[in-house]
Amino acid sequence: ISGGQAGADIAGIDATIANNFPYGGWVPKGRRTEDGPLPDKYQLQEMPTTSYPKRTERNVLNSDGTVIFTHGRLSGGSGLTRDLAEKHGKPWLHLNMGEYSVQEAVEKLRSWVEEKGIEVLNVAGRSASKDPDIYSVTYRVISGLLNKGG
């Protein structure tokens, strides 16, 4: 699942669709993203509020664990995602893609998912406006995880 924001969120959904896996998640009222309304082709549920933090919390709660993709430290919405996972006792994993190759990140994520028994994974991270390269690496890592071969 994801919140549908441009960047890591939508990369996770796109990789899931491309690999024929079920997906879902919550988006703010009006299907709000930094690029305008999320296209209707994405079957995500709309929150009764336009609040990004409330959307983030709902996705944390509706998943077994959250992976957060960044290039660098956690801050802003990515930091909030970590804080909400901790608040609700949900496992979370930060993948700083400045420190890992795509293959290393796939292996780390796969091990973590297996260790924690994650069935519903919340994919979160930087938005495209804050990190133009986050979509590509997130897409490749999630595809690698779903392909089982990396």
Side-chain angles (χ1 to χ4, degrees), residues 97 100-108 110 140-141 144 149-150:
M97 295 307 295
Y100 299 105
S101 70
V102 167
Q103 186 57 41
E104 290 168 337
V106 169
E107 291 168 12
K108 185 168 182 69
R110 182 176 293 126
R140 290 167 36 216
V141 171

Side-chain angles (χ1 to χ4, degrees), residues 48-117:
T49 173
T50 59
S51 168
Y52 286 128
K54 290 195 181 310
R55 174 271 334 251
T56 298
E57 188 167 28
R58 179 72 59 93
N59 284 319
V60 165
L61 287 168
N62 285 201
S63 66
D64 299 317
T66 298
V67 60
I68 308 167
F69 288 90
T70 67
H71 285 106
R73 66 183 183 83
L74 289 172
S75 62
S78 298
L80 175 66
T81 303
R82 173 206 53 216
D83 295 347
L84 290 167
E86 289 180 350
K87 172 184 171 183
H88 294 292
K90 297 281 193 163
W92 61 276
L93 175 67
H94 174 215
L95 290 177
N96 176 351
M97 295 307 295
E99 297 177 358
Y100 299 105
S101 70
V102 167
Q103 186 57 41
E104 290 168 337
V106 169
E107 291 168 12
K108 185 168 182 69
L109 180 56
R110 182 176 293 126
S111 294
W112 180 79
V113 163
E114 289 172 2
E115 173 192 327
K116 300 293 183 187

Side-chain angles (χ1 to χ4, degrees), residues 29-47:
K29 184 177 178 132
R31 302 177 65 81
R32 194 170 85 124
T33 77
E34 66 182 21
D35 290 343
L38 183 69
D40 289 337
K41 73 176 188 171
Y42 295 105
Q43 299 297 309
L44 302 182
Q45 294 178 273
E46 206 171 321
M47 295 283 295

